Amino acid sequence: MNAAVPDELTLYIDSNYSSPYAMFAYIALKEKKLPYTLRQINIREKLHRTPEFQKLSLTVKVPTLIHGDFSLAESSAIIEYLEDVFPTPAYQKLLPTDVRQLARARQIQAWLRSDLFALREDRPTTVIFVEPVATPLSEAGRADADKLLTLAERLIGDDGGNLFGEWSIVDTELALTLNRLVANGDPVAEKLRRYVAAQWQRPSLQAWLRHEP
């Protein structure tokens, strides 16, 4: 597939910079070094429900990527679209190229999006981007945390390095989920804390924290 003109890209995100999914789409664009326009919508006030945005976004959700006359929501779909339209070696790789590693990456992404609901309720991303909470984990939240930590212990090496040798956006996604616990001061093994700290220093993620356009 031939890439369309990069400067036709527009990304709609939440104006509070607290959506992890908007962050992943933003980081994907930053990593690809693609020129784009960033549009912010206050989703807390339901401003994404306007007739104008409903025409732009099929599912009326953020993040939504506009590329020419094409629009796409859901962060995992946006990531794969950008990977296909702006491939290596001209652009930074977002996902592993090895078939089995790619399958594992997709498995992890799907699991992080479809599980751990109690943990997300107890430790929303505001504990990372705004301030921690004093509320202890619920029984269900603790069970989710244990599932997450067990999986992370299996995936992450003793050196706390990237999951697949080279960085992939799945590292960002896993680190974000682990940081729900780390940033809130919940018990997390030192190896996993090092992993989160290393991933958090990536320039594209730091740009999100600074709210760079």
Side-chain angles (χ1 to χ4, degrees), residues 10-28:
T10 301
L11 181 67
Y12 287 82
I13 66 167
D14 69 299
S15 59
N16 299 301
Y17 282 79
S18 60
S19 165
Y21 308 112
M23 187 184 88
F24 303 151
Y26 171 96
I27 286 175

Side-chain angles (χ1 to χ4, degrees), residues 38-169:
L38 195 66
R39 302 290 187 200
Q40 300 176 30
I41 298 178
N42 190 333
I43 59 175
R44 292 181 182 177
E45 297 182 5
K46 309 298 183 183
L47 296 185
H48 61 308
R49 296 294 180 181
T50 62
E52 292 78 14
F53 191 66
Q54 288 178 357
K55 291 178 183 178
L56 286 175
S57 179
L58 180 65
T59 52
V60 198
K61 294 173 70 175
V62 292
T64 287
L65 179 74
I66 311 296
H67 191 192
D69 61 357
F70 178 67
S71 70
L72 188 66
E74 304 298 339
S75 59
S76 57
I78 291 170
I79 289 165
E80 295 215 18
Y81 177 77
L82 292 174
E83 190 78 323
D84 290 340
V85 176
F86 303 104
T88 56
Y91 300 95
Q92 167 69 38
K93 181 170 60 174
L94 300 175
L95 294 163
T97 52
D98 176 80
V99 171
R100 290 187 174 183
Q101 288 187 342
L102 178 58
R104 182 69 72 209
R106 287 170 171 159
Q107 178 189 10
I108 296 165
Q109 287 181 302
W111 182 72
L112 292 173
R113 285 164 171 77
S114 62
D115 205 336
L116 310 177
F117 295 108
L119 176 60
R120 284 185 262 169
E121 181 71 21
D122 290 354
R123 298 293 183 263
T125 53
T126 51
V127 305
I128 301 170
F129 300 127
V130 182
E131 62 181 359
V133 296
T135 311
L137 287 166
S138 64
E139 183 177 350
R142 181 72 264 167
D144 277 357
D146 289 343
K147 282 195 294 184
L148 171 65
L149 296 174
T150 298
L151 178 140
E153 283 280 1
R154 292 180 62 185
L155 289 173
I156 298 168
D158 291 338
D159 62 352
N162 296 322
L163 296 178
F164 304 107
E166 295 180 280
W167 175 86
S168 77
I169 202 158

